[in-house]
Amino acid sequence: MDQAYLDLLEQTKQYAAAYVGGVSTRPAFPDGTGLAALDAFDEPLPAAGADPARVIEQLHRLGAPGTTAATGGRYFGFVTGGLLPVAHAAEWLTDTWNQNAALYLMSPVASKLETVCERWLTELFDLPPDTAMGLVTGSSNALICALAAARGELFRRQGYDLAERGLRNAPPIRVVLGEDAHVSVSAALAVLGIGRAELELVPADAYGRMRAERLPALDARTLLILQAGNVNGGSYDPIDTLCDRARAAGAWVHIDGAFGLWARASGRQRHFVAGMEKADSWSVDAHKTLNAGYDCGIVLCRHRDALSHALQAGGAYVPFSEQRDGMRYATEMSRRARGVALWAVLKQLGASGVEQLLDTLCDNAEYFAAELEQAGYQLVIPVFFNQFLIRAGSPERTRRALERIQAGGVCWCGGSLWKGEPVIRVSVCSHATTRADIDQSVAAMRDALRDA
Ligand SMILES: *Cc1c(COP(=O)(O)O)cnc(C)c1O
């Protein structure tokens, strides 16, 4: 056994412990000293190597102060999701094993855990029994996978083999989506050769939900893309109604539920996604609401063959097995064994633990929003799921308040535009957030409002 290797891991464990122990007192966004320290990384390419222990020491010393406190309790930016301890620990083992999850033959354990996660998620989300799951980097990639499956299938139903004959000579298909769809949807479509000018956009209501009465007539050449959880205000498209329309017309429905699809796993929240089982494909992130750590996007598809046909790379040297070969359901061949941490989180929480996590996030969001209203902010639309938007009077004052919140370091919220006006967006998506964290954040945000 290599003692230097073990010493390095031990040293790293201590750095990790120091970080975990200090994250609740670290600024939510790096302060001036932390940012300035990063300049020390700007060295020329080293001509000669360095001692690994010193490399890791430098990383800890210069790198840690340059992190956002995303694993702490007062980071409300984007929809990042915290990190459950069991996910962190499972990631350490995953790194230690360094498995390639492309094929069963490359990692039986990665294959087994993906198989189990596929079954568990199908049950947790209450999806059709043979739903296929692929594990990819995040929802942006999961969207590419799902929309590729949809595109291929819509062509196949018209007797056209896209993989063989290509997009250039393909018959027309239609893509219908809400005007408030996430930017990653149009980005995924562009990757797939479907341009913005081709999209049929459905107007949204005051909360950002697709207006069902404005849906164009659908047909069997149509891909309808719905949203479960608007990245700004958290609202959900009317999934049940729209899925019924799509089904009647033979259209393919995809649901982008990057953080919001998890509502399905809670008795109190599942009304948001009523009818979602009628869709054809879904994309969701385990790194967001589930707090499973980064690099864990999930694509789910009712039509197993459509997904694997769209993504599969064959070749004489790729020996597919009778077992699960994860690359069949992902854009990549070589892949990190993402299923390990996902399995660990689902195993630790169980269905009731997932439900409790979701309900706590949602309760915290409600509480936070009510306290901020007390403090003088205006809630822009009602709280949906774990997200809400606030204003501080005029657009200028909203901008100034946000600047002060971000500079203060107590908590961190992002800014956005809602119907063209600046807003502060708050996403409560970490298991680590306590009522005390919220109270502390409200106090800082009250001060920011006063100074703005
Ligand atoms: C975050 C998000 C995405 C993109 O997901 P990534 O994991 O960041 O690629 C897509 N859609 C919605 C609604 C999101 O919130």
Side-chain angles (χ1 to χ4, degrees):
M1 197 160 22
D2 182 344
Q3 190 56 42
Y5 186 2
L6 292 180
D7 289 347
L8 189 64
L9 293 181
E10 190 56 41
Q11 173 194 357
T12 306
K13 186 178 110 186
Q14 285 169 21
Y15 294 152
Y19 188 87
V20 169
V23 76
S24 65
T25 49
R26 144 186 319 279
F29 189 87
D31 59 16
T33 323
L35 293 177
L38 296 177
D39 292 341
F41 282 115
D42 284 325
E43 304 174 89
L45 172 69
D51 175 8
R54 299 207 45 198
V55 172
I56 296 301
E57 187 278 330
Q58 183 182 11
L59 198 52
H60 172 63
R61 180 169 42 82
L62 301 177
T67 58
T68 51
T71 58
R74 296 186 306 281
Y75 189 85
F76 307 109
F78 308 93
V79 224
T80 50
L83 181 63
L84 284 164
V86 75
H88 186 177
E91 292 283 16
W92 273 8
L93 280 186
T94 307
D95 286 341
T96 308
W97 298 344
N98 193 35
Q99 298 291 283
N100 187 334
L103 296 171
Y104 170 80
L105 275 179
M106 300 174 97
S107 180
V109 63
S111 166
K112 173 58 82 181
L113 293 178
E114 283 195 13
T115 307
V116 172
C117 287
E118 182 177 83
R119 186 160 51 77
W120 286 1
L121 287 179
T122 299
E123 194 176 325
L124 192 70
F125 289 136
D126 215 351
L127 297 177
D130 191 39
T131 295
M133 176 201 76
L135 292 183
V136 294
T137 47
S139 277
S140 303
N141 190 298
L143 278 162
I144 292 174
C145 297
L147 301 181
R151 183 187 62 169
E153 182 65 12
L154 291 177
F155 285 133
R156 195 194 60 79
R157 290 178 190 166
Q158 299 183 65
Y160 188 82
D161 181 349
L162 178 73
E164 184 60 33
R165 298 168 65 190
L167 202 52
R168 202 187 308 265
N169 302 309
I173 56 170
R174 297 168 55 206
V175 180
V176 177
L177 70 166
E179 64 174 353
D180 263 7
H182 194 269
V183 288
S184 59
V185 174
S186 47
L189 289 167
V191 168
L192 297 172
I194 299 166
R196 276 194 297 278
E198 295 181 85
L199 308 179
E200 298 177 44
L201 295 183
V202 181
D205 68 9
Y207 298 166
R209 302 174 295 202
M210 239 158 121
R211 291 171 53 175
E213 76 280 9
R214 301 289 296 275
L215 191 75
L218 306 176
D219 57 35
R221 299 179 293 128
T222 309
L223 164 56
L224 173 66
I225 304 171
L226 306 182
Q227 178 161 264
N230 178 300
V231 75
N232 284 310
S235 68
Y236 289 69
D237 286 337
I239 291 172
D240 201 32
T241 310
L242 296 178
C243 280
D244 284 342
R245 298 256 197 100
R247 280 205 147 182
W252 178 297
V253 183
H254 176 77
I255 302 179
D256 168 19
F259 65 92
L261 205 76
W262 293 103
R264 182 70 158 194
S266 153
R268 274 170 51 204
Q269 320 299 336
R270 65 185 279 143
H271 65 94
F272 284 124
V273 287
M276 69 170 251
E277 73 285 354
K278 292 182 260 186
D280 297 279
S281 56
W282 307 263
S283 46
V284 56
D285 280 326
H287 59 244
K288 290 183 176 168
T289 324
L290 193 65
N291 285 229
Y294 275 107
D295 196 347
C296 202
I298 302 167
V299 54
L300 295 156
C301 185
R302 169 195 295 275
H303 315 280
R304 184 172 292 275
D305 289 348
L307 184 62
S308 63
H309 284 159
L311 304 174
Q312 197 176 106
Y317 89 103
V318 181
F320 285 130
S321 70
E322 293 299 304
Q323 310 286 332
R324 179 189 172 89
D325 293 308
M327 63 171 274
R328 283 177 184 257
Y329 310 107
T331 47
E332 310 100 321
M333 298 180 85
S334 296
R335 273 180 323 133
R336 177 179 174 73
R338 306 182 167 108
V340 180
L342 178 56
W343 171 86
V345 168
L346 293 172
K347 169 80 179 168
Q348 189 228 315
L349 294 179
S352 66
V354 174
E355 179 166 34
Q356 204 183 337
L357 169 65
L358 298 169
D359 289 347
T360 304
L361 298 179
C362 296
D363 289 346
N364 280 342
E366 291 279 356
Y367 172 76
F368 201 167
E371 291 293 303
L372 287 173
E373 280 193 291
Q374 286 286 320
Y377 287 92
Q378 300 90 45
L379 197 56
V380 178
I381 59 171
V383 179
F384 285 99
F385 198 52
N386 67 330
Q387 308 269 121
F388 62 92
L389 305 173
I390 50 169
R391 283 202 182 104
S394 68
E396 295 68 38
R397 193 162 180 230
T398 301
R399 276 199 208 93
R400 287 198 301 271
L402 179 60
E403 270 169 31
R404 283 169 169 76
I405 293 166
Q406 292 184 341
V410 172
C411 64
W412 203 89
C413 308
S416 188
L417 289 178
W418 181 255
K419 309 283 176 191
E421 297 272 306
V423 291
I424 299 171
R425 59 181 295 283
V426 182
S427 175
V428 184
C429 54
S430 175
H431 75 97
T433 299
T434 61
R435 288 288 160 109
D437 284 316
I438 295 175
D439 292 341
Q440 205 181 330
S441 303
V442 169
M445 291 169 80
R446 184 185 289 117
D447 291 348
L449 181 62
R450 189 197 54 219
D451 297 344

